[in-house]
Amino acid sequence: MDQSEISAPRPPVRVALFITCLADMFRPAVGFATVALLEQAGCEVVVPQGQTCCGQPQWNSGDRRGAQKLVRAMITAFEQAEVDYVVAPSGSCIGMVKDWPQVFSDDAAWQQRSTTIAEKSWELTSFLVDRLGWTQVQAHLDGIAAYHDSCTGKRKLGVAAQPRALLAGVAGLEVRDLSAPEECCGFGGTFCVKYGDISSRMVTDKARDIIATGADTLLAGDVGCLLNMQGRLRRLGSPIKVRHVAEVLANMGDQPAIGEGE
């Protein structure tokens, strides 16, 4: 074999972690778990320091100018990182990133820049399974987990089979679906603020569905959904532990669950 037949090793895929506001402020462990999983999958991970919010609250509230201000900062941060992909442990936030071109429908230059970022942005489990073809999970958690599919992740991004495929590699864990998996947990970002009574009824129904599975753990891929459901489960007196799916996949299931120690 001559030298020309020897291929040079491929450089690792360079990924920017989009940590998201709620993970950063309320559940940093999700960020650490995400980095661990991406590195296990062979990626080089960077964390752009200029990132803030994806602009979803402003955009959904009709504040185009406010959303544009936030999104410009995010685009600039990810451009400067010079990465192959942007990955977040949140279907909701990546769903908003996919909408960034609409935010700049009145600005062709920024619309093009936002399109470039949107096209290489992925929800974590979808990135691992669909883009990298990686399911080599090395984790263990004894118990039964109920899995909640977030609305944006499932309906907009097609995230449903991917987290379950990854969880199948967690030794000792049985995963059960809810009886009404299509139902929203009632969080919905600003929805829970505008329509508090309706949101409360929705999350109560969801919590009862979770309890009925007989699970000892609740898993999902969005911190907002998890915070909402954990709060209602606690108010109903349920001992079910609540975790982000990334934490279990990264073998961090022995650490305090959401709401523990508060």
Side-chain angles (χ1 to χ4, degrees):
M1 179 181 296
D2 60 38
Q3 199 68 24
S4 63
E5 295 177 308
I6 302 175
S7 60
R10 294 182 179 179
V13 174
R14 185 173 165 88
V15 175
L17 169 64
F18 172 18
I19 182 59
T20 79
C21 299
L22 292 180
D24 187 33
M25 298 298 296
F26 294 101
R27 193 64 174 175
V30 174
F32 292 116
T34 300
V35 171
L37 286 169
L38 291 171
E39 289 181 341
Q40 288 175 32
C43 299
E44 175 189 355
V45 184
V46 298
V47 185
Q49 296 302 299
Q51 62 179 295
T52 55
C53 175
C54 67
Q56 184 176 152
Q58 290 76 10
W59 180 244
N60 289 348
S61 299
D63 181 10
R64 176 185 291 269
R65 187 166 297 180
Q68 288 180 336
K69 181 178 179 181
L70 286 170
V71 175
R72 286 192 187 99
M74 292 288 281
I75 292 171
T76 300
F78 291 135
E79 286 176 339
Q80 292 176 347
E82 298 182 344
V83 295
D84 302 304
Y85 300 99
V86 174
V87 175
S90 167
S92 178
C93 294
I94 290 298
M96 179 61 199
V97 173
K98 298 297 186 182
D99 285 342
W100 280 358
Q102 296 181 41
V103 176
F104 294 107
S105 60
D106 59 348
D107 189 325
W110 277 100
Q111 186 177 59
Q112 181 55 54
R113 292 171 69 177
S114 66
T115 297
T116 299
I117 299 298
E119 289 178 346
K120 61 182 180 182
S121 295
W122 292 74
E123 183 273 340
L124 173 62
T125 62
S126 179
F127 180 70
L128 292 172
V129 175
D130 299 330
R131 186 65 190 89
L132 298 184
W134 184 87
T135 56
Q136 301 168 18
V137 176
Q138 298 181 357
H140 182 277
L141 183 65
D142 289 321
I144 301 170
Y147 194 86
H148 166 75
D149 298 287
S150 70
C151 295
T152 303
K154 186 169 187 176
R155 293 179 173 85
K156 189 169 187 174
L157 303 178
V159 177
Q162 302 91 330
R164 290 169 174 82
L166 292 165
L167 287 168
V170 178
L173 185 66
E174 176 188 345
V175 179
R176 295 179 179 175
D177 289 329
L178 304 179
S179 66
E182 299 291 338
E183 297 296 326
C184 175
C185 75
F187 179 64
T190 56
F191 174 85
C192 65
V193 177
K194 293 180 179 179
Y195 306 103
D197 290 343
I198 298 174
S199 174
S200 180
R201 286 291 301 274
M202 292 172 71
V203 73
T204 297
D205 289 344
K206 179 63 67 173
R208 289 171 177 163
D209 193 0
I210 294 164
I211 293 169
T213 66
D216 51 65
T217 300
L218 169 65
L219 301 177
D222 273 273
V223 175
C225 301
L226 289 165
L227 290 172
N228 189 39
M229 294 183 291
Q230 188 275 333
R232 181 56 64 192
L233 286 168
R234 181 168 62 182
R235 286 171 176 80
L236 292 175
S238 171
I240 293 175
K241 295 181 182 295
V242 179
R243 304 181 189 279
H244 192 283
V245 63
E247 297 176 88
V248 171
L249 294 174
N251 207 30
M252 295 168 58
D254 59 343
Q255 297 188 18
I258 292 174
E260 290 187 344
E262 295 180 357

